[in-house]
């Protein structure tokens, strides 16, 4: 219905908004900090879970200081009338915070949270639920928090309010035309001086400031939504010249209109209703939501695809197998970690091994005498590198983190002996690096070590408050020079930043400028891929990372974010003339959150298939973070499936992502053809076809969703998706008889998490249960014979989040 389409949510975070009004009833809900709403001559404090109703056509102003945030629900008058309201009814609903136990407020919160959930999960599919819940909410407000207004507005204050409304209506109706204080004063039969004082006293701003602010708001919207030039927008919004507009705009927004347009368009997909990034926590709101209803069954869609088999194809290097991550250096000394790594080497086969924390306290490499004289101990390091060497792996050595005696501060953001800080003595730091590298070169051979890779502390920590960016640059440069001082042929990379730093002015661009100026450009570029926006600028990021109760920061809505980031990096490297240097994604995952139950589901298999196929061999490495749940940076493991984002459970059960990697391992050595949801390869006369039906997180889950209460809810966070009925023709495939082997990963097969749910989701598994889970969670397998004659036609049905591998073996080749 039309009323539902007028329902809107608006997010306020940081700064002060100009006075305005809405034709709808506006219901504010506090998210974080203490915000203020200036309304009806008072300042109303809104703390987390606090509520304030603002009546239609009433003036209000939102003030969010000190990182406070509120969200507003606009309920149109059409829905208010359906709930029994008339125009004389006034809502009087206020509670400052969630601590207040006023009767009826929790019911308001529950309905508010339900509307929010339905709205952002799938607005079109949930139309009836949104409408009915909104009418129920309006009914609760009517029955418990309303009163009849006086019919005659006789008081001086009421007359003043009506006058102010008329003036604001005039401004808002003609904001882009010639408007003057004297013209409005004449229409209101007032003197200019009186109107000027009246406007200032009522709105705490001048007429000129208010009009200019309004015009700038409309101009900012046009910069993002239209293709008009800056000059055209200036005149369209009532400014007398382009230069005047640019000056006002820079003063208000801190950047030129062109800079604003470029930045906002990059972030446009990450906004709620165009009102800004929900970078604050909605967890307090969602805590009032009732358990979610089961989503409707998926739709069905038919696709017809033709794939070419007779082309010469593109040789594949399989760079996704270049790098394996095991977590921390000390983890590599654990027997269980080694068993899982050895299995991965047998069944997948990686080239390099990477880990954090070589200089953490538990490796006991760096120590100091009482007088501050350093001494080194390489015992544990040798045990680790001997083991790496025995597996035929090369080392990707992250020279990190700071040994406590060398750290400026003792910041420990994980539940382990890791100190992340700037360095207080770069001479001692450089000496440590030289001593380690000389020892490695002597023990494993200089020529061998020249094939290894070296990096240092990630640039991320300069954006997370652990050190200043200048301190990071000094640490990076000292590390670079120390490595090159031992052997100029040793390969040193950096800066290992998050994906969002591609767009940060001081991120990768700042690093490249520094490296170019200081002649310390890395031999290869290291990057970390997690599809989060603005992790470094989000002041609540570290708190949520530590608590693990909600998604640490906003997840991107771009389903191909890895491709977007890679292309942006390639463009940036070309701009600096270093496009020939290798790009290593040293870490990749669908989330930074280590308590995300959706990571344990079959989603991880389809996520890997999609992202690796879309970017196959386009970077030198895609190091999945990481191998095993036995590495845990936050609190004790209380369940075999707890939202860890690794390939194995802590007790060695392979998850769906591991099976997806085994699918990828069976692809051929030549790429024949590829498209959305499919990837066709060849090896000799045999063909391999990987299919996947990807579904992204729903909109609600992306915005800092709370931790799921039960594992049975793990699939509730995805878009509904559709069953894909694929009719595929393999053109040019040699005629003959083929043995077709089909393997599938989905909720019924290939997902240990789903088998775990099936047996009752016991937190801890007994040995016999562990064995059962490992044996029964293998991918489904089916074999049949097919005949190719003038091509081969296949029909496959893929459910949402399903991954499938088809292996076509030419029987005449036997």
């Amino acid at each position: 219905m039309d009323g539902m389409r007028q329902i809107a949510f608006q997010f306020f975070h940081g700064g002060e908004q100009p006075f305005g009004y809405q034709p709808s009833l506006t219901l504010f809900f506090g998210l974080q900090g203490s915000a203020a709403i200036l309304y009806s001559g008072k300042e109303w404090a809104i703390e987390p879970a606090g509520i304030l109703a603002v009546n239609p056509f009433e003036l209000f102003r939102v003030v969010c200081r000190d990182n406070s945030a509120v969200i507003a629900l606009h309920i149109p008058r059409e829905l208010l009338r359906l709930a029994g309201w008339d125009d004389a009814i006034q809502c009087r609903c206020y509670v400052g915070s969630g601590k207040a136990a006023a009767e009826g407020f929790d019911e308001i919160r529950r309905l508010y949270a339900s509307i929010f959930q339905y709205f952002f999960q799938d607005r079109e599919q949930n139309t009836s639920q949104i409408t009915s819940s909104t009418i129920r909410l309006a009914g609760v407000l009517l029955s418990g928090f309303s009163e009849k207004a006086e019919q005659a507005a006789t008081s001086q204050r009421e007359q003043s309010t009506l006058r102010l409304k008329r003036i604001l209506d005039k401004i808002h109706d003609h904001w882009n035309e010639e408007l003057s204080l004297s013209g409005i004063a004449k229409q209101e039969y007032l003197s200019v001086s009186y109107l000027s004082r009246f406007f200032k006293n009522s709105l705490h701003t001048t007429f000129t400031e208010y009009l200019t602010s309004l015009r700038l708001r409309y101009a900012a919207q046009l910069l993002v939504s239209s293709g008009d030039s800056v000059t055209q927008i200036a005149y369209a919004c009532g400014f007398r010249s382009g230069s005047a507009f640019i000056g006002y705009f820079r003063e208000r927004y801190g950047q030129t209109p062109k800079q604003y347009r470029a930045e906002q368009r990059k972030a446009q997909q990450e906004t709620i209703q165009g009102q800004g990034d929900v970078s604050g926590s909605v967890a307090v709101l969602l805590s009032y939501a009732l358990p979610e209803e089961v989503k409707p069954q998926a739709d069905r869609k038919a696709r017809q695809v033709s794939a070419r088999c007779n082309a010469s194809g593109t040789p594949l290097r399989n760079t996704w197998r270049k790098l394996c991550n095991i977590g921390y250096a000390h983890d590599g000394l654990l027997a269980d970690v080694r068993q899982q790594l050895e299995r991965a080497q047998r069944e997948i086969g990686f080239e390099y091994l990477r880990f954090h924390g070589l200089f953490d306290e538990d490796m006991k490499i760096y120590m100091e005498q009482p007088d501050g004289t350093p001494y080194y101990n390489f015992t544990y390091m040798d045990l680790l590198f001997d083991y790496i060497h025995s597996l035929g792996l090369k080392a990707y050595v992250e020279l990190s983190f700071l040994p406590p005696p060398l750290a400026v501060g003792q910041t420990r953001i994980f539940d382990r002996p890791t100190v992340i800080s700037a360095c207080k003595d770069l001479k001692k730091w450089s000496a440590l690096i030289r001593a380690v590298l000389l020892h490695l070169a002597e023990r494993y051979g200089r020529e061998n070590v020249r094939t290894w890779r070296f990096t240092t502390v990630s640039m991320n920590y300069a954006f997370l408050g652990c050190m200043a960016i200048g301190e990071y640059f000094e640490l990076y440069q000292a590390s670079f020079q120390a490595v090159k001082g031992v052997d100029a042929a040793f390969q040193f990379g950096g800066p290992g930043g998050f994906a969002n730093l591609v767009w940060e002015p001081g991120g990768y661009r700042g690093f490249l400028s520094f490296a170019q100026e200081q002649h310390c450009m890395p031999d290869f570029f290291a990057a970390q891929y997690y599809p989060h926006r603005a992790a470094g600028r989000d002041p609540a990021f570290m708190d949520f990372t530590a608590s693990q109760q909600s998604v640490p920061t906003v997840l991107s809505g771009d389903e191909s974010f890895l491709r977007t980031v890679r292309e942006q990096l390639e463009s940036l490297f070309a701009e600096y003339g270093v496009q020939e240097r290798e790009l290593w994604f040293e870490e990749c995952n669908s989330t930074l959150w280590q308590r995300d139950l959706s990571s344990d589901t079959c989603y991880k298999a389809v996520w890997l298939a999609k992202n690796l196929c879309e970017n196959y061999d386009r970077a030198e490495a895609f190091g999945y973070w990481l191998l095993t749940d036995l590495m845990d940076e936050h609190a004790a493991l209380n369940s075999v499936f707890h939202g860890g984002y690794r390939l194995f459970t802590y007790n060695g059960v392979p998850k769906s992502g591991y099976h997806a990697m085994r699918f990828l391992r069976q692809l051929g050595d030549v790429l024949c053809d590829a498209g959305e949801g499919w990837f066709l390869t060849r090896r000799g006369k045999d063909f391999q076809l990987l299919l996947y039906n990807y579904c992204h997180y729903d909109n609600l889950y992306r915005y800092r969703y709370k931790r799921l209460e039960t594992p049975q809810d793990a699939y509730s966070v995805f878009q509904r998706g559709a069953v894909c009925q694929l009719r595929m023709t393999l053109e040019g495939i040699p005629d003959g008889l083929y043995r077709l082997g089909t393997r599938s990963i989905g909720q019924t097969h290939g997902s240990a998490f789903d088998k775990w749910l099936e047996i009752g989701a016991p937190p801890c598994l007994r040995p016999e249960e562990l064995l059962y889970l490992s044996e029964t969670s293998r991918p489904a397998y089916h074999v049949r014979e097919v005949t190719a004659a003038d091509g081969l036609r296949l029909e496959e049905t893929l459910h949402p989040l399903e991954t499938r591998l088809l292996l076509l073996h030419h029987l005449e080749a036997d």
Side-chain angles (χ1 to χ4, degrees), residues 670-683:
V670 174
L671 173 62
C672 296
D673 204 356
E676 181 184 352
W678 58 276
F679 195 81
L680 178 64
T681 66
R682 184 185 73 239
R683 179 180 290 109

Side-chain angles (χ1 to χ4, degrees), residues 170-189:
K170 179 73 173 179
I171 295 172
H172 281 262
D173 287 342
H174 304 281
W175 59 270
N176 58 344
E177 302 172 13
E178 285 290 336
L179 277 179
S180 67
L181 191 64
S182 60
I184 295 177
K186 185 176 180 180
Q187 292 176 357
E188 289 290 323
Y189 302 100

Side-chain angles (χ1 to χ4, degrees), residues 339-551:
Q339 289 175 4
Q340 294 173 35
L341 177 59
E342 288 163 14
R343 177 173 178 178
Q345 278 302 95
R346 289 193 307 271
E347 298 179 347
I348 298 174
F350 295 96
E351 186 176 351
Y352 285 83
L353 189 70
R354 175 178 173 269
F355 40 83
H356 293 321
L358 183 63
F359 298 148
D360 282 356
E361 286 180 297
D362 52 10
M363 290 300 289
K364 304 186 183 302
I365 291 177
Y366 182 91
M367 289 161 283
E368 289 186 357
Q369 302 285 0
D371 64 358
T373 302
Y375 66 98
Y376 313 125
N377 177 3
F378 299 135
T379 303
Y380 288 157
M381 185 180 80
D382 288 346
L383 290 173
L384 175 61
F385 281 92
D386 285 352
Y387 176 69
I388 294 171
H389 186 69
S390 72
L391 294 180
L393 283 161
K394 301 172 186 176
Y396 187 110
V397 186
E398 182 183 287
L399 301 165
S400 74
F401 288 97
L402 272 293
L406 296 184
V408 171
Q410 298 298 311
T411 304
R412 298 171 186 256
I413 63 176
F414 302 122
D415 299 334
R416 53 165 292 105
T418 292
V419 175
I420 301 173
S421 165
C423 184
K424 67 181 179 183
D425 193 329
L426 290 173
K427 289 185 178 179
K428 289 183 178 180
W429 172 257
S430 298
L432 169 62
I433 292 175
R434 286 194 295 271
V436 167
L437 266 62
L438 287 169
H439 178 81
L440 293 174
E442 179 181 0
R443 189 174 182 89
Y444 303 104
R446 186 172 291 263
E447 289 300 320
N448 182 29
V449 177
R450 284 175 176 170
T451 67
W452 296 7
R453 294 292 187 274
F454 296 91
T455 61
T456 188
V457 178
S458 165
M459 183 171 65
N460 295 330
Y461 298 107
F463 290 84
L464 298 177
C466 300
M467 65 186 81
I469 189 64
E471 292 173 320
Y472 171 76
F473 285 157
E474 290 178 350
L475 180 65
Y476 166 83
Q477 185 176 19
S479 305
F480 176 91
Q481 291 172 344
V483 170
K484 293 298 183 180
V486 174
D487 192 324
F490 284 176
Q491 299 294 295
F492 188 83
F498 285 153
N500 66 284
L501 296 184
V502 175
W503 292 283
E504 289 279 359
Y508 280 95
R509 185 176 295 278
F511 170 80
L512 289 168
S513 296
F514 171 82
Q516 202 167 64
E517 292 167 2
Q518 298 300 318
H519 308 289
C520 54
M521 190 68 74
D523 299 303
F524 65 96
F525 292 107
Q528 297 178 10
Y529 169 76
Y530 300 92
H532 290 265
R533 288 198 60 243
R537 288 187 297 161
D538 186 344
F541 174 80
M542 293 294 278
D543 291 337
F544 281 99
T545 298
S547 71
Q548 294 293 303
Q549 292 304 307
S550 300
V551 180

